Amino acid sequence: ELDMLSLKVEFKDGNSLTTRFNGTMEQAKAYARLIAAAPDLLEALMYSIKQVPELESVPGISAAIAKAKGEDQ
């Protein structure tokens, strides 16, 4: 059964973001883990591109980086 859930993210600078979605508690926990890992994933992806510039042409990589940086508007 899906419930309306809220997920609140608190940032080091004191700001926070709350989002609501229909899902299970397990999905909410998975989203929370993904959000927590996102900065490390972005850093690793950007480092990988610096080491192997050809990776930038892999479909979705540039778009994922732009989305993570809020540049996909």
Side-chain angles (χ1 to χ4, degrees):
E1 178 178 329
L2 299 180
D3 294 316
M4 178 59 75
L5 300 170
S6 294
L7 183 61
K8 183 176 182 179
V9 179
E10 294 183 1
F11 300 98
K12 290 180 183 179
D13 66 3
N15 289 314
S16 65
L17 171 73
T18 302
T19 187
R20 291 178 176 78
F21 63 96
N22 288 318
T24 65
M25 185 56 71
E26 285 304 311
Q27 288 172 320
K29 290 176 183 178
Y31 288 142
R33 289 189 299 270
L34 183 58
I35 290 168
D40 295 331
L41 293 169
L42 177 60
E43 184 178 335
L45 189 56
M46 292 174 58
Y47 176 80
S48 297
I49 288 174
K50 285 182 182 177
Q51 298 303 308
V52 184
E54 295 81 14
L55 288 174
E56 195 165 16
S57 65
V58 174
I61 287 182
S62 293
I65 291 172
K67 185 180 270 190
K69 291 177 151 187
E71 298 170 352
D72 66 327
Q73 312 299 334

